Amino acid sequence: MLRLPRPVLLLLLTAIPLAGEPIDYFLPVEQGREAAVPAPNDFLGWNIGDWHVRHGEIVAYFRELERTSPRVKLEYYARSHEGKPLFHAVITSPENHARLDEIRAQHLKLSDPSQSDSVDTAAMPLVVVLSYSIHGNEASGANAALLVAYELASSNSPEVLATLKDTVILLDPAENPDGLDRFSTWVNSQKSTHPSADPADREHNEAWPRGRTNHYWFDLNRDWLPLVHPESRGRVAQFQRWMPNVLTDHHEMDTDKTFFFQPGIPSRENPSSPAEVAELTRLIAGNHAKALDQIG
């Protein structure tokens, strides 16, 4: 097991096709899925990509995952200004769930210099946070979160089962629910029967203030340090409660922009960030580069 002495932040970019696709477009067809766990398209009644998912639909789907899968438990950490619940879906093996408090207590010792040397990391699951769509109109993340959660909750492939055994995953499907709903409402109400890729189409030109920001038009990706808003305060408290080894933050680029990979431009790195952060994010990003190369 790789020992990660400090939390690592990795910025990732997610993309969902313009038109909806069946579930096997995104995920492998498996005979060994848990039948009780519904796929997103079956629960929603349409394929991911046909419509932009609304936050209420996200909440309903994750509550259904919690009901149908012993791998999934929800931890609520805040409510947005509009009263929408923010939560992490804690996804891991049922055996890890049975001793989750013990795992968290042992894991926190890694952040305590007086105790870290005594921790047996070989027997300790990694703690990974997957965060999606802090910018509400970068909605590919929130839509993709449903697919990621379904794969982790339903698949019985050796790879997924090993991941669940070795990892506690905290999946945050929508970091900015107020902005996400403002965006999804606009696009869903403006689209036509036939999707349009024309950037000048009304569907792709939200009315001001658009969905990037939260209820008070604040960019929550600029609130990690000020902690002005309840979404950020709850999220940082949850981060400090777990001190994850890796945090991935899933954004979205414009269609005419290139992909961004961390660790990015060295001159832009915060001088207070340890060199190990750049090394580890470069290793992790290499895996994503390989996956993207495989699909051209």
Side-chain angles (χ1 to χ4, degrees), residues 17-243:
L18 185 66
E21 299 287 353
I23 200 75
D24 58 6
Y25 174 88
F26 302 102
L27 301 174
V29 177
E30 293 182 10
Q31 301 300 318
R33 290 195 184 275
E34 295 293 326
V37 180
N41 55 314
D42 293 330
F43 182 83
L44 296 170
W46 38 266
N47 291 329
I48 295 295
D50 281 338
W51 300 92
H52 278 281
V53 67
R54 295 176 172 87
H55 186 257
E57 294 166 325
I58 293 173
V59 174
Y61 181 66
F62 275 86
R63 287 176 176 168
E64 183 67 6
L65 291 183
E66 182 180 41
R67 187 185 72 82
T68 57
S69 174
R71 306 174 186 178
V72 181
K73 302 295 180 186
L74 304 188
E75 285 190 355
Y76 296 88
Y77 65 78
R79 283 190 176 271
S80 71
H81 286 293
E82 296 178 9
K84 298 183 177 73
L86 290 104
F87 60 89
H88 280 138
V90 183
I91 309 177
T92 189
S93 68
E95 294 76 16
N96 285 341
H97 270 299
R99 59 184 192 95
L100 202 60
D101 290 340
E102 174 193 339
I103 290 174
R104 189 175 71 86
Q106 283 293 109
H107 172 78
L108 289 177
K109 292 180 180 180
L110 287 176
S111 300
D112 183 347
S114 68
Q115 301 185 76
S116 58
D117 286 342
S118 66
V119 177
D120 179 13
T121 56
M124 176 185 295
L126 291 175
V127 177
V128 176
V129 173
L130 307 178
S131 299
Y132 296 86
S133 296
I134 199 167
H135 294 136
N137 59 2
E138 297 178 12
S140 288
N143 287 268
L146 305 181
L147 296 161
V148 175
Y150 173 62
E151 175 74 354
L152 294 171
S154 70
S155 173
N156 285 321
S157 72
E159 181 181 12
V160 169
L161 293 178
T163 297
L164 295 170
K165 176 184 175 183
D166 295 338
T167 317
V168 174
I169 297 165
L170 309 179
L171 193 153
D172 191 337
E175 297 179 272
N176 177 10
D178 297 349
L180 179 75
D181 272 358
R182 193 158 62 245
F183 170 76
S184 62
T185 299
W186 172 269
V187 177
N188 289 342
S189 65
Q190 302 301 320
K191 64 176 290 188
S192 63
T193 303
H194 303 287
S196 170
D198 184 351
D201 194 291
R202 182 176 173 85
E203 172 187 346
H204 305 303
N205 289 275
E206 301 169 76
W208 188 87
R210 307 193 303 157
R212 178 183 178 91
T213 55
N214 75 345
H215 175 81
Y216 283 108
W217 309 342
F218 197 97
D219 186 335
L220 292 176
N221 205 38
R222 309 296 185 264
D223 197 33
W224 290 99
L225 294 180
L227 298 180
V228 172
H229 297 272
E231 302 94 330
S232 308
R233 291 195 296 268
R235 188 155 41 246
V236 169
Q238 181 78 334
F239 179 96
Q240 293 172 339
R241 181 172 179 269
W242 276 98
M243 296 299 288

